[in-house]
Amino acid sequence: MAQKEGRLARLKALLEEFYVSPYRGAIARARREEDDLFMLFVFSELMGVPNPAAYYTLELQPLLLERFHDWHRRQGLEHSPLDGFRCC
Amino acid sequence: MNAAMLAAVGLSMIYIGYRFYSKFIAEKIYRLDPDFVTPAHAQRDDIDYLPTNRIVLWGHHFTAVAGAAPIIGPGIAVIWGWLPAFLWVIVGTMFFAGVHDFGAVWASVRNKAKSVGALTGDVVSPRARLLFMFVVFFLLMMVNAVFGVAIANAFQDTPSAVIPAWSAIVVAVAIGVLIYRMHVPILWPTVIGTVILYAVIYLGEAIPISLPGSMLGLAPGAQWILILFLYAGIASLLPVWLLLQPRDYINGIQLLVGLGLLYGAVLIANPAIVAPAINADLPASAPPMLPLLFVTIACGAISGFHGLVGSGTTSKQLNKETDARFVGYLGSSGEGALALVAIIAATAGFASQAEWRLMYSEFGNGGLTAFVQGGAVIVSNGVGISREFAATLLTVMAVLFAGTTMDAGVRLQRYIIQEWGAIYKIPVLQNGYVATGVAVATCLLLAFGASAARGLPAGEGGMVIWPLFGTTNQLLAGLTLLVISVMLVKLGRPARYTMIPMVLITTAALAAALYQLLSLYRDGGIFYFLLWIDVIIVILAIFVLLEASSAFMRERRAAEAAAAAA
């Protein structure tokens, strides 16, 4: 019984790997693009872009500050675009 | 000759190639080192670079390279008889495709997992890299056009395949959503999805779909082509996880099931091969076997597309350098096995030689149709299912392969067009929708334009492009072999095992392109746009050969200078 379960687990792992690995990079990049757009949305008000959902996104800013530096570098901005927040 | 014997001889030869020749290449030429730190370890990021089980990696490489092309090519090429097609597939797999795929993985692994395109610039010359980009763009354009036409023809030949083939998209999307969004473990979606996929074939048989004889002045073939490209355009814009990833996964399963079913049926039914070994009574439209055989069968013997796969994802996930032999050489061997069974289906699945000759009354006939008709007879006799069910099953399998290649092909074309937009500062081309529109338009132009010069209804003569597609594919293979050969010369190792295939395949591609130049001129005159595409291919082929000789002379001079200095 245990041997059977072990074989099934191995099959599942093999199928999982077969499904995931060719597109791991493409999906990670797509997910990052979505995240980047979300970051822009959250920090838009601070950069002077009116944000109708600012009341809600303001709460998220402290949670996303850790990712801020990587994000602005990815957007091609050498230094932080926010006067009040100098991460580098 | 009976089919089981041919299958046994062919598979044994492929195995001998793997067992002995690939071992020799691994030990003496590429000199694989089990202690070499592969990019999967050195650059590990758990996204692109990640050491992967070699069986999984082999499965990827095999399913990524084996699609509709190793079925269509041999299905057309048996018009010259089964023997030339058989010999080219076997010799090609053993001595051309094996070292090519294996070499592409090795070369990439030894160069930080760079793609063959990037390596062409580094190892040969920046000019060669530009050449590479052009060849890839033409290849994608042709592969999309050819597969669009092939699917349209398959839907017209087997209307019962329409519902199952389109249902596969629904199944794929459902699997994608279940796994990605709802985090359902993979086993059940796989089992249920596969069962639905085969169960829907019964529905397809009950409700065959045929398009109206004429709509807006377009024949059914042309209507299908438009629908398919509309779909491919939309599909290429969808997120990868939603359609492309689960479709690829389903195809992998289909490929393994299909291969097992076909070889099992061949062994049980053991039909006689009715086609002649060498066809002395060729139809007037058939071109000479030399050099056209070598471009009519590209995938299945050697194909440049494999180098893109090998140096794209495969090399970034290779756990040990020694796995390159198993993944690369054996991956191409799997495709050879698919081409071999396609030859058997297209030559042994007919009641008599007269019936076979009826199928091959003109060059370009056969292909997928012969594979489906012949394969259905063999599967029906071997496994005991109805011939109609078997025909639908095989059509769905081939259509899924071709359809997924179209999805991925249009997507890749879009990326290239967007990149050109960025390089040449044309903002409109950087827009995803515009780039997709341009990609689809070029493919449609090719698919429709091919029939116009032959006086056929739009979309009916699209397989005219097939030899041009094969020629471009072989040029790409030549470029990859050139990169591997130059690397070997630089390392002071024997380069003849890759250089000889490179010279032979590029020369065959050039000769085929020159022959087609005359033939296209006869068909459509100087204003036939396929003629101009062929002219570009001829120029590219000449440049590949010139780049090759220039790179070798440069490396030889460098080696002589180093020897003199020492």
Side-chain angles (χ1 to χ4, degrees):
Chain A
M1 189 69 183
Q3 201 180 15
K4 213 176 197 178
E5 274 176 16
R7 268 206 295 268
L8 197 67
R10 268 206 303 278
L11 176 69
K12 276 184 195 169
L14 209 67
L15 284 177
E16 190 89 42
E17 191 61 21
F18 186 63
Y19 185 84
V20 171
S21 56
Y23 292 98
R24 195 182 276 118
I27 287 175
R29 273 187 290 276
R31 184 172 280 169
R32 198 170 64 184
E33 273 174 28
E34 276 180 25
D35 288 348
D36 285 350
L37 188 67
F38 186 68
M39 289 289 282
L40 179 68
F41 190 56
V42 170
F43 290 97
S44 59
E45 189 90 349
L46 291 179
M47 288 183 279
V49 181
N51 176 7
Y55 179 76
Y56 303 98
T57 53
L58 199 62
E59 270 189 62
L60 294 170
Q61 283 176 7
L63 303 171
L64 295 174
L65 275 178
E66 262 185 43
R67 301 192 206 163
F68 187 79
H69 176 69
D70 287 341
W71 172 73
H72 77 68
R73 295 289 298 260
R74 273 204 302 278
Q75 304 314 303
L77 302 165
E78 186 84 2
H79 300 290
S80 167
L82 305 179
D83 290 336
F85 183 66
R86 289 278 170 215
C87 54
C88 52
Chain B
M1 175 67 98
N2 61 48
M5 177 62 84
L6 194 66
V9 172
L11 291 177
S12 305
M13 295 298 287
I14 291 174
Y15 175 72
I16 289 169
Y18 172 68
R19 180 75 182 78
F20 299 104
Y21 189 58
S22 77
K23 190 167 185 276
F24 163 74
I25 295 288
E27 287 173 0
K28 307 285 182 210
I29 310 300
Y30 298 151
R31 296 183 198 166
L32 303 185
D33 175 5
D35 298 322
F36 179 77
V37 182
T38 62
H41 292 280
Q43 294 157 247
R44 182 171 179 159
D45 61 3
D46 287 349
I47 297 174
D48 289 318
Y49 300 86
L50 180 69
T52 303
N53 179 313
R54 70 176 190 161
I55 295 172
V56 171
L57 213 49
W58 171 81
H60 289 160
H61 190 82
F62 171 42
T63 53
V65 300
I71 296 174
I72 300 172
I76 294 174
V78 293
I79 196 167
W80 292 296
W82 63 263
L83 189 60
F86 172 78
L87 288 177
W88 172 226
V89 163
I90 300 304
V91 172
T93 300
M94 289 171 77
F95 299 105
F96 288 66
V99 284
H100 171 275
D101 289 25
F102 178 10
V105 178
W106 167 76
S108 177
V109 163
R110 283 277 160 175
N111 287 281
K112 298 180 180 170
K114 282 186 185 171
S115 70
V116 177
L119 283 180
T120 313
D122 292 355
V123 178
V124 185
S125 69
R127 223 176 20 236
R129 186 180 182 171
L130 193 67
L131 209 59
F132 188 89
M133 209 165 159
F134 270 110
V135 175
V136 169
F137 184 77
F138 274 103
L139 183 66
L140 289 172
M141 198 167 87
M142 284 183 203
V143 82
N144 294 333
V146 161
F147 283 0
V149 173
I151 299 174
N153 291 344
F155 281 161
Q156 290 177 89
D157 289 344
T158 319
S160 56
V162 174
I163 287 183
W166 289 102
S167 302
I169 296 166
V170 180
V171 171
V173 169
I175 290 180
V177 171
L178 283 171
I179 292 174
Y180 188 80
R181 283 280 188 232
M182 301 168 84
H183 306 290
V184 175
I186 199 161
L187 191 62
W188 286 114
T190 304
V191 173
I192 296 169
T194 310
V195 169
I196 291 175
L197 215 59
Y198 289 112
V200 166
I201 292 176
Y202 286 105
L203 187 68
E205 287 210 297
I207 316 170
I209 305 275
S210 295
L211 292 180
S214 175
M215 189 189 278
L216 302 170
L218 293 173
Q223 295 171 37
W224 273 126
I225 291 172
L226 284 179
I227 293 170
L228 286 162
F229 275 104
L230 182 68
Y231 155 74
I234 295 168
S236 71
L237 290 165
L238 291 177
V240 166
W241 64 265
L242 187 63
L243 183 63
L244 195 57
Q245 185 183 29
R247 266 196 84 154
D248 241 8
Y249 177 67
I250 290 176
N251 279 358
I253 294 169
Q254 286 254 333
L255 178 62
L256 297 174
V257 171
L259 265 181
L261 187 71
L262 279 163
Y263 272 108
V266 166
L267 284 179
I268 298 165
N270 194 12
I273 290 173
V274 297
I278 292 173
N279 190 3
D281 191 15
L282 285 166
S285 61
M289 184 175 77
L290 294 175
L292 265 288
L293 171 70
F294 300 105
V295 295
T296 306
I297 303 180
C299 299
I302 179 170
S303 154
F305 176 72
H306 299 193
L308 301 180
V309 177
S311 67
T313 48
T314 310
S315 60
K316 294 181 177 70
Q317 299 178 350
L318 206 71
N319 184 28
K320 282 185 184 174
E321 195 187 33
T322 42
D323 290 349
R325 178 184 164 214
F326 182 84
V327 175
Y329 196 98
L330 208 57
S332 64
S333 300
E335 193 189 53
L338 180 61
L340 176 62
V341 87
I343 291 174
I344 292 171
T347 54
F350 295 85
S352 63
Q353 197 175 104
E355 196 184 295
W356 180 83
R357 284 192 184 280
L358 212 60
M359 168 64 71
Y360 287 93
S361 57
E362 217 179 309
F363 182 73
N365 287 1
L368 210 54
T369 315
F371 168 76
V372 168
Q373 282 188 20
V377 171
I378 296 171
V379 170
S380 170
N381 293 341
V383 187
I385 54 178
S386 82
R387 196 171 292 182
E388 291 72 27
F389 186 88
T392 309
L393 184 90
L394 293 176
T395 306
V396 172
M397 186 176 103
V399 163
L400 289 188
F401 292 160
T404 309
T405 308
M406 272 180 79
D407 293 357
V410 172
R411 190 182 289 267
L412 290 173
Q413 252 190 305
R414 166 162 66 91
Y415 293 155
I416 292 179
I417 292 168
Q418 284 179 299
E419 205 177 313
W420 282 347
I423 293 170
Y424 299 111
K425 309 226 176 340
I426 310 170
V428 72
L429 285 184
Q430 293 175 48
N431 179 293
Y433 296 103
V434 174
T436 304
V438 173
V440 168
T442 53
C443 297
L444 278 174
L445 185 73
L446 205 57
F448 281 93
S451 47
R454 293 207 161 178
L456 294 165
E460 299 276 316
M463 292 314 275
V464 181
I465 317 162
W466 185 264
L468 277 181
F469 157 66
T471 307
T472 319
N473 207 351
Q474 305 299 43
L475 276 185
L476 195 62
L479 271 168
T480 305
L481 286 168
L482 170 63
V483 169
I484 302 166
S485 304
V486 173
M487 268 182 70
L488 289 170
V489 171
K490 275 185 174 175
L491 291 166
R493 296 180 198 167
R496 55 183 172 275
Y497 301 97
T498 51
M499 207 160 78
I500 292 171
M502 189 276 284
V503 171
L504 288 178
I505 206 63
T506 314
T507 310
L510 177 61
L514 287 171
Y515 174 82
Q516 288 170 88
L517 207 60
L518 290 175
S519 146
L520 290 168
Y521 177 72
R522 266 200 313 266
D523 277 354
I526 197 80
F527 295 111
Y528 190 13
F529 82 100
L530 278 186
L531 178 100
W532 291 101
I533 288 183
D534 195 47
V535 168
I536 295 170
I537 293 171
V538 169
I539 294 169
L540 290 173
I542 292 169
F543 269 108
V544 169
L545 286 169
L546 288 176
E547 281 297 328
S549 58
S550 147
F552 281 114
M553 276 154 71
R554 187 185 67 220
E555 291 308 324
R556 186 177 291 174
R557 274 198 300 271
E560 281 168 4

